[in-house]
Amino acid sequence: MYLFSNAQIISRGRIIIPYEMRAALGYHEGCLVGISQSVNESALLQNQILVSSIPHAKRQDLWNLRACVRDRPGILTELTDFLTKFNLDIWDCYVATREQNSEFVVDLSLDAQFYESNLDLDSAGRKQLPRAWLREMYARIACNFIEDLALRPDGKPNLYLKRNHPLSRSVEKINSRETSEITSGSILLPTNIVASIFHSFEIAYGIEWSESLAKKRKPPYGMLVADPEFRSLTITVLYPDTGHVHIRVEANNRVGTIAALTKDLFDCGFNILQAYTRNLHASERSLTDLLLHLPPSRDKLRDDGKLKNFVRAIFRGSSLRSLDCQLSFPSPTKGDGKPASPTHLRSDNGVRGNL
Amino acid sequence: MSEKKSIESVINQAKSHVIQQATAAETFGDLRSKIDYQNRRAFLDNLLREFREQKSGNAPSKSVFISYSVNSGSVFFEKLRSRLEGAGFEVVTGFQKAAGDRGSVLARILRQLRRSTLYLGLLTKEMRVKGPGGRDQWSPSVWTMEEKGMALALRKPFVLLVQEGIHKDYWLKTAPDKVHITFAENDFEDKANEIVETIHDRYDEVIMEFYGQGDLLVSYDYRQEF
């Protein structure tokens, strides 16, 4: 499951991580987080930052173990003790009971750097072969807890062991990596990373764009997506007048709603960078947030106001009328959940509000 | 790890436990529990089979079968062989005798191909043929083509090193999705290095497949249930 947030103005390099994301990712006050920016030469913009509280040195051989077992006293002690015997370092641990406390769900992050096995590759080998798996470890856990493991409907144990690839990749092909401290729920983005992102926009949009931006004194803003499963947070940093727009659409909920919304946007050249759809009003209406990007090759206007008019025109088109869409443009907040200024609350067709 | 029990004995122990539980459930007429334990036993049987397969030497060896013509390809073959052996590969050919082939060339080739992990076809100019528009082109040796067909049938990871002038129907038509590197006599050294790198990549893929993708185990995707 991903967690989304509204766009947020990055003021003096600082960005607030909403409480819900901090809670899901275990970011407490004073916690140190690693901030890294990967390199992808084929991408148009290098504007995403990965944040995780797991230190860079621990990321390359990190695994997620999820198991659902019948609940009984001592099961967690047995499991953690079992993993300890194999030198598996538990980095974090989420457990909860469900089904009237009859089932016990365990979600662990394991550092396998010092795990030794007769059949599995060693840590150095696993780093070379990212698809290599802990086959023997999986089998040993399954056998040791064969009577406890809940079975899936297909008769197989509800046990899963998977490499944390997003974090493994975050230490390979890196442009920059730094650490920052969570202070008042926020982090300070390293200046070199922010500068490198701005440079990436400058390359894509040209010197005229950067001069115009300097005149308007518009700050960058960030959109955050938390991925609790892989213990990571991605910040997409955006600048005004670059073809990026965050829209919120309330529409009739029926078969094909998302396909209809996205098709018209695609036909007009938009690339969808983020989407979050949920049901409203007893499933009669749905609410969809979309982060759209009109690539520079299609965006000749380079103006956020004109871009919004373009989007409005798309929603006035006949194909979307039957969905009774109400469109709004949530404005970047200051990071405290409040909009940047009252004027930004204006919206098309009356839909307003923040996530 | 030496004091720890072998994985096979761990699985067998778990298996005997669930069999006992299934028997007890049957004695008490508890059908639901019996089925539950039978499912656990079936899972353990699969685990055991996988580990036995791995242990019985199915791990891919670092070996390459090179298919070539003695008449037109020996010079190139020797250069390739020294490079591949230098890179730690065992080079296997259809000319090597194999136990049990009883003098049958086909049986010998098939046996050697089966025990090799990768196939490299060295297609050199053997016979003159007419190409498109009546232009003179070449075919590789018949045996090279036979071996290529066998490698395809055995689903061996596959690369071809093709001499310029060989009619495309002999390589591109029958294996359009495979890696093909063409060479001329004056650039063979460079192309040979390139093919050794490609062989390395193919071998890494095979090894990854072996260590990373147990057919049964990896399909236990938690998303189906959690």
Side-chain angles (χ1 to χ4, degrees), chain A residues 59-208:
Chain A
R59 291 184 188 178
Q60 265 201 303
D61 206 6
L62 199 67
W63 296 75
N64 279 24
L65 172 73
R66 296 196 81 181
C68 181
V69 293
R70 295 168 183 162
D71 189 38
R72 64 174 169 83
I75 186 77
L76 183 62
T77 313
E78 277 180 38
L79 177 63
T80 51
D81 186 48
F82 183 80
L83 297 171
T84 307
K85 282 180 188 155
F86 288 89
N87 289 329
L88 287 159
D89 184 12
I90 299 172
W91 186 257
D92 57 34
C93 170
Y94 296 72
V95 298
T97 54
R98 64 183 186 192
E99 296 289 328
Q100 312 307 330
N101 303 306
S102 64
E103 280 186 358
F104 189 70
V105 185
V106 187
D107 181 351
L108 305 172
S109 272
L110 303 170
D111 177 13
Q113 283 189 83
F114 302 108
Y115 159 63
E116 288 174 3
S117 149
N118 293 327
L119 297 170
D120 294 332
L121 288 177
D122 63 7
S123 190
R126 288 193 295 272
K127 282 172 191 168
Q128 282 183 339
L129 299 173
R131 282 168 65 198
W133 200 49
L134 302 180
R135 184 192 293 245
E136 185 184 345
M137 193 64 240
Y138 179 95
R140 284 185 184 274
I141 298 168
C143 290
N144 203 67
F145 297 94
I146 190 67
E147 210 174 342
D148 298 300
L149 282 162
L151 296 187
R152 302 185 330 201
D154 61 3
K156 286 165 185 150
N158 204 341
L159 173 66
Y160 144 84
L161 183 60
K162 188 175 182 183
R163 197 169 202 159
N164 189 329
H165 279 293
L167 285 187
S168 302
R169 282 201 302 263
S170 74
V171 286
E172 298 156 6
K173 292 189 177 179
I174 288 294
N175 180 25
S176 185
R177 68 184 195 202
E178 308 283 342
T179 51
S180 181
E181 189 181 336
I182 305 278
T183 315
S184 305
S186 70
I187 51 168
L188 187 64
L189 300 178
T191 48
N192 59 333
I193 291 183
V194 176
S196 138
I197 290 172
F198 180 74
H199 182 59
S200 155
F201 276 92
E202 234 177 8
I203 291 170
Y205 291 92
I207 198 78
E208 282 179 17

Side-chain angles (χ1 to χ4, degrees), chain A residues 66-68 70 85-86 98 103 105-106 115-121 128-140 142-162 229-230, chain B residues 1-2 4-8 10-15 17-18 21 35-37 39-44 46-47 50-51 54-55 204-205 207-226:
Chain A
R66 296 196 81 181
C68 181
R70 295 168 183 162
K85 282 180 188 155
F86 288 89
R98 64 183 186 192
E103 280 186 358
V105 185
V106 187
Y115 159 63
E116 288 174 3
S117 149
N118 293 327
L119 297 170
D120 294 332
L121 288 177
Q128 282 183 339
L129 299 173
R131 282 168 65 198
W133 200 49
L134 302 180
R135 184 192 293 245
E136 185 184 345
M137 193 64 240
Y138 179 95
R140 284 185 184 274
C143 290
N144 203 67
F145 297 94
I146 190 67
E147 210 174 342
D148 298 300
L149 282 162
L151 296 187
R152 302 185 330 201
D154 61 3
K156 286 165 185 150
N158 204 341
L159 173 66
Y160 144 84
L161 183 60
K162 188 175 182 183
E229 183 192 349
F230 290 116
Chain B
M1 290 300 297
S2 53
K4 291 197 166 67
K5 284 183 193 169
S6 76
I7 189 65
E8 281 193 35
V10 168
I11 299 171
N12 277 322
Q13 197 179 333
K15 221 175 98 175
H17 175 75
V18 295
Q21 296 297 321
I35 292 169
D36 181 278
Y37 282 113
N39 281 331
R40 288 170 204 270
R41 185 201 162 159
F43 164 76
L44 292 168
N46 278 335
L47 265 187
E50 286 203 356
F51 279 102
Q54 186 176 349
K55 202 178 168 187
D204 280 353
E205 284 169 16
I207 283 289
M208 275 190 252
E209 200 66 33
F210 181 76
Y211 281 111
Q213 302 292 308
D215 290 341
L216 285 164
L217 300 183
V218 166
S219 64
Y220 299 149
D221 186 344
Y222 85 100
R223 285 169 201 276
Q224 293 176 24
E225 179 68 6
F226 277 93

